[in-house]
Amino acid sequence: METNQQEHVHLLIIGSGPAGYTAAIYAARANLKPVLYQGIQPGGQLTITTEVENYPGYPEGVQGPEMMVDFEKQATRMGADIRFGLATSVDFSSKPYKVTIDESKVMTADAIIIATGASAKWLGMPSEQRLNGSGVSACAVCDGFFFRGKEVAIVGAGDTAAEEALYLSKMCSNVHMIVRRHEMRASKVMQDRVLKTSNIIVYWNTETQEVLGENKVEAVKLLNTAKNEETTVPVSAFFVAIGHQPNSAIFKDYLELDEQDYIKTVPGSSRTNLEGIFACGDVQDKIYRQAVTAAGSGCMAALDAERYLSAQGI
């Protein structure tokens, strides 16, 4: 789409989860006058989370969407310019770097912080989305605590699924682990740990047909593809651990990505392979993926950007 809309800013922040908002808070306090575009899901993955009990400073816990409203209000109070809009393409071939918003407005910036996050991969069942936040979750570390002493199911066969199954096994009565093939993709050591854990029950050659329950998860309907047998397992939660997809596609022509498309950053910093472009939060973190670590990396990105702009005399 042709347009003459163009605006230049010192610091542009793309994305609005804990990482983006924290970067905005720090950058605004440093008088960098950051402009933040919220993206397709303002507030990020936390807006589809219900209770958050593991973020410091909320002794009674907090609803995910409410916490992100708090973050946004704080960033706005500090002076960040927060806007609706989705970054749809970029041109990092020369400075100032260009980012197109909603395929129409071109933003140029002296420095850019990327906080576009990652999206959980889902199986694609209607019941999975309907009960998301009511027993269906893509994060066992975030939500397992709510199902202490209960029967839960987890689907997946990689290291993350194995790790989350082991985590759940410490607090849930039984963990029903659903594996699509006759073997796991997880590393040998993780497989061994899973198979040696007495309250993890592995269902081989099994696909999830439906998550059952009206207002909350009550059971999961499974199909053993080798025997063509259906079974229904009563559970209180259904965890999906089939991976995350970092929201990095529009940057791939310019930034170094790893084999899973996470943006590579210099260890101990938020710096990417292009000077003046920084990445924070889940778009560059495939290990921790927590709100508190995302916020911490957003702080790092703002401090890195401030030092970069200062060195440039901007």
Side-chain angles (χ1 to χ4, degrees):
M1 183 188 297
E2 286 297 318
T3 180
N4 349 344
Q5 280 188 288
Q6 191 156 322
E7 181 184 353
H8 182 77
V9 296
H10 287 318
L11 176 62
L12 181 66
I13 301 171
I14 309 170
S16 61
Y21 282 142
T22 303
I25 290 165
Y26 273 78
R29 290 186 82 243
N31 205 28
L32 298 180
K33 300 181 173 59
V35 170
L36 179 151
Y37 277 95
Q38 291 178 307
I40 203 163
Q41 189 178 34
Q45 290 185 80
L46 276 169
T47 57
I48 56 168
T49 304
T50 49
E51 194 81 11
V52 177
E53 287 196 333
N54 55 5
Y55 197 93
Y58 291 95
E60 305 303 319
V62 62
Q63 296 291 307
E66 184 190 336
M67 186 164 94
M68 286 300 92
V69 169
D70 287 347
F71 273 49
E72 181 183 351
K73 282 180 182 169
Q74 190 173 353
T76 301
R77 187 171 76 81
M78 294 299 163
D81 181 350
I82 294 173
R83 306 175 181 178
F84 290 113
L86 175 67
T88 47
S89 64
V90 300
D91 180 358
F92 294 163
S93 58
S94 61
K95 293 179 183 176
Y97 299 123
K98 296 183 183 68
V99 177
T100 303
I101 305 295
D102 295 329
E103 298 180 354
S104 58
K105 179 168 186 171
V106 175
M107 299 292 296
T108 60
D110 299 314
I112 293 173
I113 291 175
I114 297 166
T116 47
S119 303
K121 292 178 183 173
W122 298 98
L123 296 173
M125 301 176 297
S127 57
E128 178 186 49
Q129 294 308 315
R130 182 172 57 80
L131 293 167
N132 193 349
S134 300
V136 171
S137 168
C139 181
V141 175
C142 313
D143 299 326
F145 179 82
F146 301 113
F147 302 99
R148 295 184 308 284
K150 300 195 171 164
E151 303 267 331
V152 300
I154 184 166
V155 60
D159 276 340
T160 300
E163 199 173 295
E164 296 206 336
L166 288 162
Y167 177 85
L168 292 167
S169 73
K170 295 184 176 81
M171 61 186 78
C172 301
S173 55
N174 283 307
V175 180
H176 302 270
M177 187 172 185
I178 303 152
V179 178
R180 196 161 48 90
R181 297 165 58 211
H182 65 284
E183 60 187 0
M184 290 187 203
R185 294 190 319 277
S187 58
K188 188 74 170 65
V189 64
M190 292 302 284
Q191 289 189 49
D192 287 347
R193 282 183 199 162
V194 165
L195 298 173
K196 282 178 184 163
T197 304
S198 59
N199 65 334
I200 297 179
I201 303 146
V202 181
Y203 296 72
W204 304 103
N205 300 303
T206 299
E207 290 183 1
T208 307
Q209 292 199 299
E210 209 61 73
V211 183
L212 306 175
E214 196 55 46
N215 301 311
K216 61 178 184 176
V217 173
E218 293 171 5
V220 62
K221 189 170 156 189
L222 306 176
L223 173 68
N224 182 308
T225 51
K227 299 176 184 174
N228 200 30
E229 283 177 6
E230 278 188 1
T231 179
T232 299
V233 181
V235 291
S236 298
F238 179 72
F239 293 95
V240 181
I242 57 174
H244 286 74
Q245 183 60 45
N247 302 318
S248 61
I250 63 170
F251 311 113
K252 69 180 189 316
D253 291 341
Y254 303 98
L255 298 184
E256 284 181 14
L257 309 180
D258 71 8
E259 64 287 346
Q260 291 167 280
D261 293 335
Y262 287 86
I263 296 174
K264 285 186 178 180
T265 50
V266 174
S269 82
S270 64
R271 298 195 306 276
T272 67
N273 58 296
L274 289 181
E275 67 165 16
I277 297 182
F278 308 91
C280 56
D282 287 13
V283 74
Q284 56 83 51
D285 171 23
K286 60 184 172 191
I287 298 171
Y288 300 106
R289 294 200 302 266
Q290 300 299 301
V292 70
T293 49
S297 72
C299 161
M300 290 167 62
L303 295 175
D304 287 344
E306 181 189 358
R307 286 174 189 140
Y308 167 77
L309 290 168
S310 178
Q312 304 294 308
I314 296 168

